[in-house]
Amino acid sequence: MSVYSVGLVSAPYHAAVQRMEEMTTERLEASPSSMLTSVIKVQGVFEIPLQVQTLLERDDIDAVITLGAIEEGETGHGVALSNAVFPALLGLSLRFNKPVGFGIIGPLATPEQIESRAEKTAKEATSAVLDSLGC
């Protein structure tokens, strides 16, 4: 059986995202076919794509999971941010032919929505990567 190396890039500004990290780590550690190889924490969602690229460039990384939240603000900043980050992550996955699990809540999410969606989002991002790897 193959064991796949997974990286994690997280923007744990919100406490809910910190819990998402814990859930993701536990799930990866419980899978006999995956190993959490690298964890990178960044200031915000904008910084996630560069670190994902850094991990995907490595031969010892088979996939990356991203975690974060884009909270609703008074301006369109969150929408502009998601319009840049989301396609960048998809492009990196296609460029390196490696799965990128998308665990970013928002844009326009209220603190309550971030809280209520954290567990489901973390599970889905992790499941997507594990399924893509055949774990």
Side-chain angles (χ1 to χ4, degrees), residues 5-67:
S5 296
V6 179
L8 174 64
V9 181
S10 176
Y13 175 80
H14 296 277
V17 178
Q18 294 172 24
R19 286 194 318 282
M20 291 168 72
E21 270 185 40
E22 293 166 11
M23 288 184 275
T24 300
T25 299
E26 289 170 10
R27 176 95 186 273
L28 291 172
E29 289 174 352
S31 170
S33 300
S34 68
M35 174 177 58
L36 183 59
T37 304
S38 182
V39 177
I40 299 174
K41 296 183 184 193
V42 296
Q43 288 294 316
V45 171
F46 184 77
E47 288 78 30
I48 290 175
L50 178 60
Q51 297 308 317
V52 168
Q53 177 176 306
T54 299
L55 289 174
L56 292 175
E57 288 173 340
R58 291 175 38 181
D59 291 335
D60 66 327
I61 295 288
D62 298 301
V64 177
I65 297 171
T66 63
L67 301 173

Side-chain angles (χ1 to χ4, degrees), residues 66-114:
T66 63
L67 301 173
I70 303 173
E71 193 171 327
E72 177 180 44
E74 295 179 19
T75 67
H77 177 261
V79 172
L81 176 63
S82 66
N83 286 339
V85 171
F86 297 1
L89 293 174
L90 177 59
L92 288 167
S93 178
L94 295 172
R95 177 174 153 208
F96 289 96
N97 198 31
K98 296 180 183 181
V100 174
F102 188 78
I104 300 173
I105 301 167
L108 305 177
T110 65
E112 295 79 19
Q113 290 169 327
I114 293 169

Side-chain angles (χ1 to χ4, degrees), residues 112-134:
E112 295 79 19
Q113 290 169 327
I114 293 169
E115 185 65 38
S116 69
R117 289 172 168 85
E119 183 175 344
K120 181 178 187 283
T121 302
K123 284 181 180 179
E124 289 176 350
T126 307
S127 292
V129 163
L130 292 175
D131 290 349
S132 293
L133 293 172

